[in-house]
Amino acid sequence: MSARKQVEEKRTDAPKHPVQAAAEAAIRRWSGPLTDDLVLHPGEFGLGNVPVRLKPDDTTTTVCGFCSTGCGLNVHLKDGRAINLSADTHYPVNLGMACPKGWESLTPLAAPDRATTPLLRNEATGAMEPIDWEYALFLFCERFKEIQRLHGAESVAWLGTGQITSEELAFLGALGKFGMGLVHGDGNTRQCMSTAVVAYKEAFGFDAPPYSYQDFEQSDVVVLIGSNLCVAHPILWQRLMRNRNRPEIVVIDPRKTETAMAATQHYAIQPKSDLTLLYGLANIIIASGCVKRDFIQAHTTGFSEFSNFVLPFTTERVCECTGLTSIEVWRLAQCIADGKAVSFWWTMGVNQGHEATRTAQAIINLALMTGNIGRPGTGANSITGQCNAMGSRLFSNTTNLLGGHDFLKPEHREKIAGILRMKDERIPRQNSWAYDQIVRGIANGKIKGLWIVATNSSHSWIHQKAFNEILSKLDFLVVQDMYHTTETAGRADLLLPAAGWGEKEGTFINSERRIGLVKRVSRSPGQALSDFNIFKLVAQYWGCGELFSRWSSPESVFQILKECTRGQPCDITGIADYQSIDALGGVQWPWPENGEAAPEQERRLFADGRFFHPDGKARFIFEEPRPPEESVDAEYPFMLLTGRGSSSQWHTQTRTGKSDVLRKLYPRVVHVEINPADAGRLQIAQGDMVSIASRRGEMTAMAFVTGTLQEGQVFLPMHYAAVNQLTFPSFDPYSRQPSYKSCAVKLRKLE
Amino acid sequence: MTAEADRAQKTLIDELLEEQQQMTVVERFARRHGRGGVPAQARYYRDLVPVSRPADGQQYGFAVDLDACTGCKACVSACHSMNGLEDEETWRGVGLLSDGAGVETAPYLQSITTACHHCVEPACLEGCPVMAYDKDPETGIVRHLDDQCIGCQYCVLKCPYDVPKYSAKKGIVRKCDMCSSRLAVGEAPACVQACPTEAIRIELIDKLEVSRAASAVGARLIPGAFASKYTKPATVYRSLRGVPASARPGDISHLQVEPAHWPLAAMLLLTQMGAGIFAMLAFIGLCRSRDFVAIKEVMSLAGFAAISTGLAASVLHLGRPLGAWRFFLGLKTSWMSREILAFGVFAGAAGLSTAANCAQRFGSLLPLHISEGLLVLSTAMTALIGMAGIACSGMIYIDTRRSFWTARLTFPRFFGTTALLGAMAGAVLAAWHGASARLDLLLITVAIVFRLALSIWEIASFKGALANAGDPNHRSSLIAWKLMRIWVFAQHECSAVSVLLAIAALSLVMRGESSEAAGVLMTGSFLACAAAQVIERLFYFTTVVAPRMPGGIA
């Protein structure tokens, strides 16, 4: 054992009196069972030293199941099962690094609260009682069919997720709409990136984030808007840190976040003033003549209307709205105008707003008019949230028909029906309701049965109290999840136990459109089944198994999905199979069948300036800003901001809360960040317990007093269930995405 | 049944449940890495570890670029996974420095990644009674020898950075060894390998330079860290942005109750009582030989019993007591070793002097006669050895440099308790044993005086600390006042009861009434007094502020 040998050598090296040395050897124990427990040994497989008891007999790679960065993980296997993992050195996304969630990916699989058998609520006692799969499936079909018989096919809906594989999402969507005859289904992706979807669709003609992560490394100006990259996407920050151009890093965010601290410029604008700022910047840049006329002429439409529109967005107006000084506004405009390769990146600070779509498009407008698109280090780039939000965008069959198609277009319905070998009448000729509309449908009695898959709505949906009251109106609620303890599972009539990430196979699509492979490296507990297999069973018990006879395995579904993308901007017909995804380190879409063996590893869109509208041109889209529906007043004088708490927390914490290590890395109690001036006025000291109340609810948190927040604002991390009791249910009218980032609250110090 | 028929019988549910458990990843996806060879990650960390081994006067040290560290905390997880630590065990932590929460200070946030600082003068190593720490002469890495450790946790108290972590399950402490076996073969430590922004690296540190810089007045690694002159930590934190002096740890307002260490508290109280009893007996012997003769047997037996029980209790504190015989290894630097030695001798002396004091009883068996003077002398010698042991006990805590455990606060407690419990126990025994009323009077009076003196001193120092935010023990007093207030009252109520009962006993004795009634009262007084001292010791351990690196929001 190397460590012991090393110690032996060291001992002979040490110049000691022989008697002393002999005595020490007798009475100092340099080795033994406790020492051996930590001894490292060459792990082989390129791993370097690993603990002896965790020495693998093989390794395989997989893609992380938390966020949309889509890091490659190197799973250490023993007898075909995962015993440990490390970041994948070779994966083009993360280059050998991972965030704490990635490192801890395997831990939540072993949590004691895993659902291991279907559970049915005993109506008399209210307790969940185990039942077998046969009965669970019988009940599932019986109850939902009964509801449909009484209230119509549309009265059963589903809420899906961005956390399961594309193949599973497609199965759920196809089973729901084509097999069970449901009309309304949506996903929790509505909460994170539907704004980006609509913004891109309208501006580019297709939901197409144009970048690769390499753009972080190639910009000379990086503008981050409503993105706390350091904490929310640490590996993307890593990519930015690899930038050798000494880039200007500009952060536009009301808070001085970790990212703002690390940036070269921070603009602490007032919450929800971003749209006005972006229009004002456009006005200055246009007025200064710093726009790329040739590019605009050749590749866009609507610029002259746009330049007229932004004229009233004077610097004075911008300053008044944002709280910035005119020097700051001009400095920012100049920085963007002077940049040779400017990339704009946005996350939830933009997506979750009452006028989010137009804000995202205002960012796109800046990129278009300065010609910062299609070239290395540029782009108007939405950084997505969940590991497979991008897969959901293409394949969940909710907002879009499979493969980014349109339910309203007969030729699209015909194409998909042909590929699926079914009659096109099976495809609804209308769009699904969005998440909030489904919730409203439950409230007004139109939806009576709901199937929630891999999302924790009872925690995460905005204005949570109302949502949970509405849920109780359902006749039948089915929750399909890894855990029986989620807030949502606690309200289910029937719980279906699902296998988690790492216990099943399929593909995810990351933020830069990279299709990555996830593999089964761990056994699921008890009778938990992959979501894929659950859908397969539902299809059979529902009586539409025949329709899915070709959907035998995730990989066979992948082949079907490939066909669905043929001729689309997201064409992936050039990918042979899972093995090739694995071998290539993931493949970005598009990769159409063209005979070429391997795509370049990092590709961006629009190098040719051709967008996806029929005329090939991008659109300038704009609209007069509106104030948020709820603003502060004398009674509720603080604006509540919400966001990611730490890099070790993920959404509603159903998984990250199960790891001892991750739990150590975030505060034990929910804390509220308060500006020192406000704290002083309310005589709140650091560590005091504070009540935070909105018109909808109240919660308690520990005060953390810091100047990183502006006066009149407070911040709460979103990972605690109580936070969404406060949030105000306002939605972007185009994307139907909830506006989590601002609502009015009041504070009270608790004794 | 044939396999085919078997399959026909199976439902789809059975098939899928079976399929779900099949592990086919190895067959389906050929391994991508060859066996052996250079670690793949080397390409990223090659520049983050020194090319050469430390020269004379140098050692390895962690160097942290604060400007690059943005708080992703991957270092903590990677260290955990790559070293195969227990579920809840972490050797690295990430804390937070933030602006001083003042209206004027600029917004500031800085994550602080921290692990063992592999100090030039490691306090853990100096404190360890069994030499379970080794500072490698070449690399300077402070390594913990897990199989040598007896689980006394003194290193946990000694380290001002909260580095060694005790595992009750394993019965030992473990800590960061800078991945010494990785470094030995040119690999980077786990944290260095895993940092996405190359914020942690290993550098060659000049030990003399570290010592010199650390010795400067007020030198500390970062704001909120313990004064570096104590252990001379080898870690370097760098920031071009600068760390504002007003920056405060994220957990600055967090009041943490430290472990009570019951076996240690029992050991301290019992050994102190034992030494007190011997001291009191010697005192009696020096004053009045008649009383000494009357009470020497029972008092020395009681003293010896207290000491033995105390030492037995201390064994319960150890995670792996079987290795404790190696305690002499640390005599050169460790007060723990010295305490063990002193109490070992003390127990022996107490045993001998108890035997001598009781020898008369066995006069027919033992032909030897020991003069009374010799008995008093041996009792006094025993008491003196006991005092030396108590001094060592005190030094154990004083040597941790915690502000609640300074000599000024520790010695009055320890020696005060010694005198108090010695007098109290003596008074109880005298009352029950029917010694002279004069002796009763003397001992009860002494006990009351000691009790009052100690209580007044306790209350005065507690109140002073509580009232003054600048007092070094303000936080300790806050922990007691905010989190354990009922115990604060209980302690002083017990003291008051003890004094009242003792006064009642005193009046009985003065009126010449039955010694038995006085005995009952004094027993009650003693128990109340002992309870007060138990609570006092509870506070001694639980309200001490353990220095540590800045923590996260708490």
Side-chain angles (χ1 to χ4, degrees):
Chain A
M1 283 175 193
S2 71
R4 205 180 297 175
K5 209 182 299 161
Q6 189 197 327
V7 165
E8 302 284 344
E9 279 166 19
K10 193 198 70 55
R11 254 156 66 197
T12 52
D13 283 355
K16 270 179 184 156
H17 191 277
V19 176
Q20 189 193 354
E24 273 194 20
I27 55 182
R28 278 185 94 190
R29 304 185 56 183
W30 291 83
S31 61
L34 291 165
T35 309
D36 290 349
D37 188 47
L38 291 173
V39 163
L40 304 180
H41 194 267
E44 302 182 354
F45 307 104
L47 296 175
N49 274 297
V50 300
V52 170
R53 78 192 134 76
L54 293 174
K55 187 170 161 11
D57 58 22
D58 221 319
T59 63
T60 195
T61 54
T62 191
V63 170
C64 181
F66 282 102
C67 89
S68 66
T69 305
C71 296
L73 299 174
N74 194 12
V75 182
H76 309 185
L77 301 164
K78 203 176 213 165
D79 304 324
R81 295 175 65 183
I83 51 166
N84 203 352
L85 59 73
S86 52
D88 184 358
T89 311
H90 306 280
Y91 205 64
V93 166
N94 50 313
L95 310 171
M97 302 298 149
C99 83
K101 299 186 291 294
W103 279 100
E104 279 295 291
S105 289
L106 294 169
T107 311
L109 298 180
D113 61 339
R114 285 293 301 272
T116 54
T117 155
L119 296 171
L120 178 68
R121 190 164 306 279
N122 179 326
E123 289 189 11
T125 64
M128 291 298 264
E129 291 168 357
I131 54 171
D132 63 19
W133 269 108
E134 178 86 29
Y135 185 45
L137 290 159
F138 166 77
L139 270 179
F140 179 99
C141 298
E142 182 80 0
R143 295 295 307 271
F144 278 155
K145 282 186 171 176
E146 175 72 5
I147 291 169
Q148 283 188 316
R149 196 176 58 75
L150 290 173
H151 307 284
E154 294 186 20
S155 61
V156 174
W158 84 86
L159 291 173
T161 182
Q163 297 286 155
I164 60 178
T165 65
S166 297
E167 294 78 356
E168 292 174 327
L169 285 166
F171 208 151
L172 172 60
L175 169 65
K177 288 195 176 172
F178 311 148
M180 297 165 66
L182 314 184
V183 177
H184 302 303
D186 201 12
N188 63 8
T189 42
R190 182 69 59 184
Q191 294 158 278
C192 74
M193 36 38 62
S194 55
T195 289
V197 173
V198 178
Y200 280 139
K201 262 193 196 170
E202 291 181 354
F204 296 161
F206 195 80
D207 171 21
Y211 60 98
S212 88
Y213 295 151
Q214 204 172 36
D215 288 313
F216 277 117
E217 299 171 3
Q218 295 170 329
S219 302
D220 60 2
V221 177
V222 176
V223 184
L224 297 161
I225 308 168
S227 162
N228 190 2
L229 205 62
C230 288
V231 166
H233 302 94
I235 298 307
L236 298 187
W237 182 259
Q238 166 203 344
R239 297 296 298 266
L240 177 49
M241 287 299 99
R242 289 166 53 93
N243 187 318
R244 296 290 168 251
N245 305 330
R246 302 174 60 83
E248 280 294 329
I249 302 172
V250 177
V251 170
I252 300 174
D253 196 309
R255 295 162 61 212
K256 186 122 190 158
T257 58
E258 290 83 348
T259 313
M261 270 306 298
T264 57
Q265 300 178 32
H266 173 218
Y267 298 93
I269 61 169
Q270 285 300 309
K272 300 298 146 208
S273 66
D274 40 7
L275 187 54
T276 301
L277 173 67
L278 294 164
Y279 287 153
L281 292 172
N283 188 24
I284 294 173
I285 293 169
I286 294 167
S288 318
C290 296
V291 295
K292 293 281 182 296
R293 295 271 167 202
D294 296 348
F295 181 88
I296 293 167
Q297 190 76 31
H299 303 297
T300 72
T301 60
F303 179 68
S304 62
E305 294 86 340
F306 178 62
S307 32
N308 288 333
F309 169 79
V310 295
L311 276 177
F313 290 86
T314 60
T315 307
E316 295 71 41
R317 179 171 167 188
V318 171
C319 292
E320 198 191 313
C321 176
T322 60
L324 300 179
T325 64
S326 59
I327 294 172
E328 285 177 307
V329 176
W330 276 83
R331 180 175 171 225
L332 176 54
Q334 183 132 32
C335 180
I336 294 168
D338 289 351
K340 292 186 178 54
V342 185
S343 57
F344 300 86
W345 308 82
W346 79 84
T347 314
M348 296 313 148
V350 168
N351 279 349
Q352 296 176 337
H354 68 289
E355 47 191 1
T357 303
R358 293 294 175 256
T359 310
Q361 286 163 340
I363 297 168
I364 294 172
N365 294 345
L366 280 178
L368 290 174
M369 69 188 222
T370 54
N372 279 305
I373 195 138
R375 292 185 292 115
T378 66
N381 307 328
S382 148
I383 304 168
T384 302
Q386 303 181 79
C387 54
N388 199 28
M390 289 281 286
S392 149
R393 286 152 87 150
L394 292 184
F395 297 121
S396 68
N397 211 32
T398 52
T399 309
N400 302 317
L401 181 56
L402 293 175
H405 290 91
D406 192 340
F407 282 102
L408 306 182
K409 291 188 176 152
E411 67 274 21
H412 283 185
R413 293 199 298 270
E414 204 175 307
K415 172 182 168 187
I416 296 301
I419 292 166
L420 301 188
R421 298 182 195 164
M422 63 179 195
K423 294 202 178 83
D424 60 5
E425 293 92 83
R426 280 192 172 270
I427 302 181
R429 285 149 194 256
Q430 65 185 97
N431 283 323
S432 288
W433 280 345
Y435 202 136
D436 68 302
Q437 293 160 328
I438 291 174
V439 174
R440 205 183 318 140
I442 303 169
N444 59 31
K446 289 195 175 133
I447 302 249
K448 295 284 191 184
L450 188 66
W451 182 12
I452 297 181
V453 179
T455 187
N456 190 9
S457 316
S458 287
H459 178 315
S460 65
W461 191 246
I462 201 159
H463 192 188
Q464 187 194 92
K465 234 188 210 166
F467 175 80
N468 285 331
E469 280 164 23
I470 290 168
L471 271 197
S472 65
K473 294 190 170 182
L474 287 167
D475 287 348
F476 197 52
L477 173 61
V478 179
V479 173
Q480 183 169 320
D481 204 284
M482 288 170 71
Y483 302 103
H484 64 79
T485 52
T486 71
E487 284 80 358
T488 316
R491 293 176 163 80
D493 296 306
L494 175 66
L495 181 93
L496 303 179
W501 169 93
E503 297 167 348
K504 57 187 184 178
E505 206 169 270
T507 58
F508 287 160
I509 309 181
N510 79 352
S511 278
E512 54 164 1
R513 312 179 314 282
R514 183 178 305 278
I515 294 141
L517 190 61
V518 290
K519 300 176 188 169
R520 184 156 73 212
V521 293
S522 188
R523 289 203 174 101
S524 46
Q527 295 189 34
L529 287 174
S530 68
D531 296 283
F532 189 90
N533 283 340
I534 295 175
F535 301 140
K536 208 153 136 182
L537 284 171
V538 168
Q540 199 200 27
Y541 278 76
W542 193 273
C544 57
E546 200 51 36
L547 195 60
F548 298 99
S549 58
R550 286 194 303 142
W551 298 47
S552 55
S553 67
E555 190 158 13
S556 61
V557 172
F558 180 75
Q559 296 298 342
I560 295 171
L561 297 182
K562 260 171 61 180
E563 277 314 305
C564 293
T565 65
R566 189 180 292 277
Q568 287 286 91
C570 59
D571 192 330
I572 49 168
T573 49
I575 303 174
D577 51 18
Y578 279 0
Q579 260 81 9
S580 75
I581 296 175
D582 197 36
L584 291 168
V587 181
Q588 284 177 292
W589 68 254
W591 187 243
E593 212 167 18
N594 58 7
E596 279 181 56
E600 258 183 73
Q601 245 181 355
E602 302 199 70
R603 291 171 293 129
R604 74 185 58 76
L605 301 178
F606 310 132
D608 56 0
R610 280 202 60 78
F611 294 89
F612 298 123
H613 283 297
D615 62 2
K617 291 185 172 181
R619 306 269 186 273
F620 280 90
I621 301 164
F622 47 87
E623 188 176 327
E624 195 60 37
R626 302 177 276 118
E629 284 167 59
E630 186 179 68
S631 32
V632 297
D633 55 22
E635 198 185 347
Y636 294 92
F638 290 95
M639 180 73 91
L640 169 64
L641 317 177
T642 66
R644 181 71 63 101
S646 69
S647 63
S648 53
Q649 288 168 293
W650 180 248
H651 291 182
T652 70
Q653 295 259 60
T654 54
R655 280 185 292 163
T656 47
K658 309 282 157 63
S659 151
D660 288 331
V661 173
L662 296 180
R663 272 203 305 274
K664 274 188 168 184
L665 299 180
Y666 58 79
R668 297 225 174 111
V669 292
V670 52
H671 68 283
V672 58
E673 295 177 16
I674 307 173
N675 178 278
D678 293 327
R681 257 193 303 281
L682 296 169
Q683 297 186 319
I684 293 168
Q686 183 129 324
D688 285 348
M689 293 312 284
V690 175
S691 145
I692 308 116
S694 75
R695 289 182 177 83
R696 296 154 293 281
E698 183 171 2
M699 66 175 283
T700 302
M702 187 195 74
F704 185 73
V705 180
T706 171
T708 55
L709 226 59
Q710 299 179 56
E711 267 187 78
Q713 297 166 19
V714 293
F715 173 82
L716 279 169
M718 64 175 174
H719 314 286
Y720 306 88
V723 174
N724 274 324
Q725 300 199 356
L726 309 183
T727 47
F728 177 78
S730 116
F731 303 88
D732 176 85
Y734 308 103
S735 68
R736 309 297 319 160
Q737 183 159 347
S739 174
Y740 284 100
K741 300 281 183 192
S742 71
C743 73
V745 296
K746 60 184 174 188
L747 301 184
R748 184 167 51 88
K749 179 181 169 175
L750 296 172
E751 294 309 325
Chain B
M1 212 191 292
T2 64
E4 229 159 89
D6 184 34
R7 207 168 303 134
Q9 295 258 306
K10 268 188 198 156
T11 64
L12 182 59
I13 294 174
D14 298 332
E15 268 176 41
L16 295 182
L17 282 171
E18 199 172 287
E19 187 227 291
Q20 189 72 45
Q21 298 299 315
Q22 283 164 9
M23 293 285 117
T24 55
V25 67
V26 175
E27 295 83 70
R28 282 172 46 76
F29 302 98
R31 80 172 62 98
R32 291 180 49 202
H33 311 294
R35 287 174 177 271
V38 179
Q41 287 284 104
R43 68 173 80 172
Y44 301 123
Y45 63 64
R46 206 168 283 134
D47 299 337
L48 303 176
V49 287
V51 186
S52 56
R53 305 282 288 178
D56 266 359
Q58 286 184 323
Q59 72 161 78
Y60 287 138
F62 287 115
V64 177
D65 178 359
L66 291 177
D67 299 342
C69 174
T70 49
C72 79
K73 306 173 188 177
C75 49
V76 181
S77 291
C79 166
H80 173 86
S81 294
M82 290 176 69
N83 287 316
L85 305 187
E86 295 287 300
D87 284 352
E88 71 302 325
E89 187 180 13
T90 48
W91 286 352
R92 189 165 265 287
V94 176
L96 179 74
L97 283 180
S98 81
D99 49 272
V103 181
E104 311 79 23
T105 47
Y108 181 73
L109 268 185
Q110 176 65 59
S111 48
I112 304 291
T113 175
T114 176
C116 176
H117 297 308
H118 299 279
C119 303
V120 174
E121 294 173 13
C124 53
L125 180 149
E126 287 171 5
C128 181
V130 293
M131 281 176 82
Y133 281 92
D134 185 66
K135 187 166 175 68
D136 188 285
E138 188 200 3
T139 62
I141 291 172
V142 178
R143 215 187 128 209
H144 182 256
L145 311 184
D146 293 351
D147 281 286
Q148 180 76 1
C149 177
I150 58 170
C152 76
Q153 304 156 64
Y154 186 37
C155 51
V156 177
L157 302 184
K158 280 282 285 174
C159 173
Y161 305 108
D162 192 27
V163 167
K165 293 284 178 347
Y166 181 68
S167 156
K169 196 169 87 188
K170 292 195 179 305
I172 57 163
V173 147
R174 302 211 291 197
K175 70 174 266 297
C176 158
D177 70 340
M178 208 186 257
C179 294
S180 56
S181 46
R182 288 198 169 94
L183 276 172
V185 293
E187 290 177 27
C191 52
V192 175
Q193 290 198 27
C195 177
T197 55
E198 303 184 347
I200 313 174
R201 58 173 67 223
I202 303 299
E203 289 183 357
L204 297 176
I205 309 280
D206 188 298
K207 285 193 250 191
L208 214 66
E209 194 52 49
V210 169
S211 295
R212 197 164 16 216
S215 302
V217 179
R220 51 192 80 233
L221 287 172
I222 44 164
F226 200 78
S228 295
K229 67 168 187 279
Y230 174 27
T231 66
K232 314 201 167 46
T235 301
V236 185
Y237 288 95
R238 295 197 183 94
S239 171
L240 291 177
R241 291 200 283 258
V243 181
S246 63
R248 307 184 318 166
D251 56 352
I252 191 156
S253 62
H254 180 61
L255 301 177
Q256 179 161 330
V257 177
E258 294 295 321
H261 292 307
W262 287 112
L264 287 186
M267 187 269 268
L268 289 175
L269 288 173
L270 288 166
T271 52
Q272 285 163 22
M273 182 165 85
I277 290 172
F278 275 99
M280 205 45 71
L281 182 59
F283 175 67
I284 296 166
L286 292 172
C287 297
R288 270 173 71 89
S289 69
R290 197 153 47 83
D291 287 332
F292 176 77
V293 172
I295 206 156
K296 68 180 180 0
E297 286 186 9
V298 62
M299 273 188 76
S300 44
L301 276 169
F304 182 62
I307 296 158
S308 315
T309 318
L311 295 187
S314 72
V315 174
L316 296 178
H317 174 70
L318 302 179
R320 296 173 77 227
L322 291 182
W325 62 271
R326 297 186 176 89
F327 77 90
F328 57 87
L329 290 175
L331 278 173
K332 217 160 92 185
T333 56
S334 169
W335 284 104
M336 173 79 82
S337 289
R338 293 166 193 166
E339 186 208 40
I340 296 172
L341 178 65
F343 278 147
V345 175
F346 179 38
L352 284 177
S353 110
T354 305
N357 284 341
C358 298
Q360 261 170 342
R361 197 172 281 273
F362 310 103
S364 54
L365 299 174
L366 293 167
L368 91 170
H369 173 78
I370 308 168
S371 77
E372 200 187 301
L374 207 57
L375 286 179
V376 173
L377 183 68
S378 83
T379 304
M381 286 303 295
T382 302
L384 280 176
I385 297 168
M387 295 303 153
I390 290 165
C392 290
S393 291
M395 284 311 296
I396 285 181
Y397 300 97
I398 294 162
D399 199 37
T400 62
R401 319 236 176 155
R402 297 179 172 190
S403 56
F404 193 57
W405 287 352
T406 56
R408 194 180 63 79
L409 291 175
T410 297
F411 282 145
R413 274 208 174 97
F414 285 15
F415 286 111
T417 302
T418 304
L420 173 61
L421 293 183
M424 275 282 177
V428 172
L429 295 172
W432 280 113
H433 208 68
S436 72
R438 253 193 72 184
L439 181 65
D440 287 353
L441 217 62
L442 173 76
L443 289 179
I444 296 174
T445 310
V446 169
I448 292 172
V449 169
F450 283 160
R451 175 68 278 172
L452 285 173
L454 204 54
S455 287
I456 290 166
W457 175 79
E458 284 265 357
I459 293 170
S461 48
F462 177 75
K463 279 192 135 180
L466 191 61
N468 177 10
D471 189 288
N473 293 306
H474 182 63
R475 260 175 96 171
S476 291
S477 62
L478 278 182
I479 294 170
W481 191 240
K482 286 198 165 172
L483 305 179
M484 316 168 83
R485 193 173 300 183
I486 58 161
W487 293 106
V488 177
F489 291 123
Q491 183 190 356
H492 300 301
E493 276 158 16
C494 286
S495 300
V497 167
S498 166
V499 170
L500 290 177
L501 290 175
I503 290 172
L506 191 66
S507 69
L508 283 188
V509 174
M510 283 167 76
R511 275 186 275 145
E513 284 182 34
S514 91
S515 176
E516 249 168 48
V520 170
L521 287 172
M522 272 321 290
T523 305
S525 173
F526 169 79
L527 290 176
C529 180
Q533 291 320 98
V534 168
I535 299 171
E536 177 255 335
R537 223 34 65 101
L538 167 79
F539 281 135
Y540 187 73
F541 283 107
T542 55
T543 69
V544 67
V545 174
R548 43 172 59 100
M549 291 294 282
I553 295 173

